[in-house]
Amino acid sequence: MAQQTQKVNPQFANGNFIEEVRIVIMEDTAQVAATKKEMEDFYKAFFIKPRTIFNPLITDLAISRINEENNVKNAYYEIYESESGSGSVGRSVSIQIYVELTSGEETATKAKGLFSREGKDFPLLYESGQAQFKFLVNAGLGFYNDENALFAQGEAFTQGNPIADDPADEDTRFWMETFVEPGISGISKLGNSNIYWYGEASVLASARNTSDIYSSGSAGHIDVERLYTGFLITGLGKNKDITLNANYGRNFFQLNDGFLFSRYSGSSNAGPRGSVYSSSRTTYQKNGNLSIQWGKFRLSGHFLEPQELFKDKQQNTNYTIGTFNFNNNKNLDAAISYIATTGGKAKYATPNGAIQKKGIYVINPKLWLTNIAETGLFFKSEYAYQSHTQEDMQSYAWYAGLGYSFKNIATNPSIYYRYAFMKGDDANTEDYERFDPILTGGLGNWVQGLNFRKVLGNGNIVSHRIELTSWVSKRMSLSVDYFYLQANQLNNLGGLPPISSLKNKELGHEASVTLKGLLKDHFTFLGVVSYGIPGKGLNEAFIEKTPNWLTVQAAVFI
């Protein structure tokens, strides 16, 4: 690759946007990049191109079809975090495809898999150029230690929270979480057409061994995780460059890098599900997607409803999203999305009483630039104008981030600064102005302070973020993040009860250190240490000064 970036497991990248596709042709000892014509042919043959959604099913079948070519000895791919942007989890990805050629004798292609070759290819169940079915399994084991969690004010911060039967105080909480997700995935071409059917089904079991920062004792839960199906049609139009992709069911979704909709906000994990920190459940319980890719343009529509924690207290809030995107496959990615809250019973408090979330809409333009002026400079920004079809509500939020990656240094260090603004409500105006962050999240992207996120949410926040990232080995990268958090308005109605009204806008500081990478090809390590220091806005909400909050986390994902 042109420079070193973080390699990730394909299952972790499932549902994220593809920012770049590279193909490397290998013959004997020579390695050359695919020509522009070869790249265009690849884009037309497979639905794998920049700004489409990465799906391991589709990519695996594409690699299988390449391997069937007579002059191909072996083909495989690897997934990397994109070179632009920042964040530990949930960012866009790059695909590196390797094609090793041979000049030997032609050999007949044989089907592979558990059902065709005495089980030697397990977990592959069946594979040919027309279809692939495989057994999938994801698992994780994490250890978590928090000192003075919730700034030792757990009872105050969790008022009315049904899962908080033992909220943290000025104490130490140490616990373990684990999960396992077995399932089956498959994709098949329909005859000689350019139509593919695909789908996945899995069950996820999660458990906690003792009290976390909210809930007492152990917990365990088993439920369906993935359950969706869809179809893909390639090679449409006069130039064979139009692709249509549609799916529906329990599936992953993320809009951009999680500013408004994060993959990690698709499902609830706390309380009886025993996965509050490992966040093992990420699929939305209802997720319909339809996208049309035409050259460098993409038009997509989405319907989303997140998985809530208690079946007898469902709010059933759902969203409809339409996005128009342009990507020149080089350094420009621009889009505009329209988001509408189209259903559900959820409400939120205003100075004049509660109003329905149904009816909220957002207009969300985006501009991302990479490799500016052929340097390592990159820029990311989004704006969100928010209003309501039936209520006096107008708000907005935005961010702008500028970063630089030092390409000529072996450890590939980078620096990134981001300013983010999420408006608060001015109680002296008629309109309600507090920005509703919808389903934001994602460790390293839109968790604005790993600890502070649990008490502040994301509304009424002005944040400064500085991130430094570098490689410490061939497989491990180290990131250091610093957040300075302030409130936009002293009126904080909509925040947690102790801080619904602030005396000071200074919320606090948080510094995090993250070590992540592959231990082996199927084992990913994530270690985090984060230290939160409350500012005057938090301290003055309580009689006694709130202590600092330290969390230490270590997890291995399989």
Side-chain angles (χ1 to χ4, degrees):
M1 299 183 68
Q3 65 182 107
Q4 199 172 30
T5 52
Q6 181 70 52
K7 183 179 178 181
V8 297
N9 188 290
Q11 287 299 327
F12 289 164
N14 193 348
N16 288 352
F17 278 107
I18 300 169
E19 183 163 308
E20 185 177 16
V21 179
R22 302 188 185 105
I23 300 178
V24 176
I25 310 296
M26 301 180 292
E27 187 170 10
D28 295 328
T29 59
Q31 293 188 11
V32 297
T35 65
K36 182 178 179 180
K37 175 66 165 56
E38 289 171 331
M39 292 299 301
E40 291 298 327
D41 289 343
F42 177 82
Y43 291 157
K44 290 179 181 179
F46 308 107
F47 191 56
I48 304 171
K49 58 183 73 175
R51 304 326 301 162
T52 61
I53 301 295
F54 173 71
N55 187 321
L57 284 172
I58 296 170
T59 310
D60 287 348
L61 185 63
I63 297 300
S64 173
R65 287 180 59 186
I66 293 173
N67 271 316
E68 285 202 329
E69 297 294 326
N70 291 328
N71 65 332
V72 174
K73 181 179 180 180
N74 185 38
Y76 63 97
Y77 72 95
E78 294 176 341
I79 301 295
Y80 294 85
E81 288 186 344
S82 61
E83 293 178 6
S84 65
S86 68
S88 302
V89 178
R91 61 191 285 182
S92 54
V93 297
S94 298
I95 302 179
Q96 183 92 344
I97 298 172
Y98 299 90
V99 181
E100 186 178 353
L101 303 181
T102 178
S103 56
E105 295 182 1
E106 296 182 2
T107 57
T109 301
K110 294 182 179 180
K112 296 186 295 183
L114 177 66
F115 300 139
S116 56
R117 289 200 340 188
E118 301 176 356
K120 295 180 180 179
D121 294 326
F122 186 83
L124 190 64
L125 300 177
Y126 177 83
E127 180 183 85
S128 69
Q130 297 288 105
Q132 183 187 83
F133 296 88
K134 65 165 65 173
F135 175 76
L136 67 88
V137 60
N138 294 310
L141 175 65
F143 297 89
Y144 308 97
N145 186 89
D146 278 33
E147 305 283 341
N148 299 319
L150 303 172
F151 296 108
Q153 299 290 345
E155 187 173 344
F157 276 122
T158 59
Q159 295 176 44
N161 188 335
I163 67 164
D165 58 0
D166 185 22
D169 205 332
E170 196 167 356
D171 57 7
T172 298
R173 295 287 174 100
F174 176 79
W175 73 98
M176 177 186 72
E177 295 176 5
T178 187
F179 69 90
V180 61
E181 181 194 1
I184 293 177
S185 64
I187 182 170
S188 178
K189 186 177 182 179
L190 301 182
N192 294 322
S193 69
N194 290 329
I195 303 174
Y196 300 81
W197 164 88
Y198 62 90
E200 289 187 305
S202 69
V203 173
L204 194 150
S206 59
R208 179 187 72 238
N209 70 324
T210 188
S211 301
D212 59 24
I213 66 171
Y214 297 108
S215 308
S216 62
S218 59
H221 188 76
I222 300 176
D223 208 341
V224 174
E225 175 64 356
R226 310 182 204 194
L227 186 61
Y228 71 91
T229 187
F231 65 88
L232 171 72
I233 306 175
T234 64
L236 297 172
K238 181 179 179 180
N239 296 320
K240 307 296 183 182
D241 61 348
I242 300 176
T243 304
L244 186 148
N245 190 16
N247 57 70
Y248 182 81
R250 296 183 59 94
N251 199 0
F252 310 105
F253 176 82
Q254 180 160 298
L255 182 64
N256 303 322
D257 66 353
F259 175 53
L260 297 176
F261 286 86
S262 167
R263 164 177 172 159
Y264 293 87
S265 297
S267 185
S268 299
N269 282 282
R273 297 186 181 179
S275 195
V276 67
Y277 273 19
S278 54
S279 298
S280 57
R281 290 176 171 81
T282 57
T283 59
Y284 289 76
Q285 72 174 0
K286 294 180 182 179
N287 181 10
N289 304 285
L290 174 64
S291 64
I292 300 172
Q293 184 85 21
W294 178 25
K296 298 175 183 179
F297 298 92
R298 178 175 55 85
L299 182 64
S300 61
H302 314 275
F303 175 80
L304 299 167
E305 186 174 306
Q307 175 69 64
E308 298 176 74
L309 191 59
F310 299 108
K311 292 184 178 180
D312 60 339
K313 298 178 181 179
Q314 297 284 303
Q315 299 294 313
N316 298 318
T317 305
N318 53 62
Y319 309 89
T320 301
I321 306 170
T323 298
F324 179 71
N325 177 268
F326 171 80
N327 187 294
N328 67 358
N329 303 337
K330 293 180 181 179
N331 58 4
L332 171 63
D333 181 10
I336 186 165
S337 297
Y338 179 83
I339 302 159
T341 307
T342 47
K345 299 178 291 185
K347 298 180 180 181
Y348 56 94
T350 76
N352 298 319
I355 63 175
Q356 296 280 347
K357 285 195 173 186
K358 180 181 178 181
I360 289 179
Y361 66 90
V362 177
I363 300 172
N364 171 221
K366 179 194 79 169
L367 176 65
W368 289 0
L369 300 171
T370 61
N371 199 29
I372 299 172
E374 299 298 323
T375 68
L377 194 66
F378 59 90
F379 173 81
K380 301 176 72 172
S381 183
E382 290 182 64
Y383 180 86
Y385 169 78
Q386 189 172 63
S387 190
H388 201 293
T389 58
Q390 297 177 333
E391 305 286 350
D392 292 330
M393 185 266 188
Q394 291 192 51
S395 188
Y396 63 90
W398 64 277
Y399 72 89
L402 187 67
Y404 188 83
S405 180
F406 297 86
K407 296 182 177 182
N408 298 323
I409 300 178
T411 57
N412 191 25
S414 65
I415 183 169
Y416 178 67
Y417 168 77
R418 184 185 73 200
Y419 175 87
F421 178 92
M422 295 184 175
K423 188 171 176 57
D425 177 51
D426 183 350
N428 297 317
T429 62
E430 291 187 10
D431 287 348
Y432 183 67
E433 299 160 313
R434 183 186 178 93
F435 183 76
D436 178 10
I438 314 182
L439 293 172
T440 187
L443 175 62
N445 285 334
W446 284 101
V447 171
Q448 300 187 81
L450 185 61
N451 294 337
F452 271 96
R453 173 68 171 89
K454 299 175 182 66
V455 298
L456 297 183
N458 276 284
N460 190 30
I461 292 180
V462 179
S463 69
H464 301 265
R465 176 193 183 188
I466 299 174
E467 181 188 49
L468 304 174
T469 302
S470 183
W471 286 81
V472 294
S473 73
K474 291 182 178 180
R475 288 176 172 261
M476 289 285 177
S477 68
L478 184 71
S479 298
V480 179
D481 271 283
Y482 167 74
F483 287 92
Y484 175 51
L485 304 166
Q486 298 171 289
N488 171 239
Q489 296 285 342
L490 293 176
N491 170 38
N492 197 37
L493 185 64
L496 293 178
I499 54 173
S500 60
S501 179
L502 298 168
K503 297 178 182 179
N504 191 294
K505 292 183 179 180
E506 185 188 43
L507 298 174
H509 309 256
E510 184 160 351
S512 303
V513 178
T514 302
L515 178 67
K516 61 189 177 71
L518 291 175
L519 300 175
K520 289 187 176 181
D521 286 343
H522 299 288
F523 295 84
T524 299
F525 174 79
L526 176 63
V528 182
V529 177
S530 197
Y531 193 68
I533 304 173
K536 293 180 181 179
L538 261 65
N539 281 323
E540 293 179 5
F542 302 97
I543 297 176
E544 297 180 356
K545 184 178 180 180
T546 53
N548 302 334
W549 178 358
L550 171 68
T551 183
V552 180
Q553 308 178 13
V556 175
F557 301 97
I558 304 171

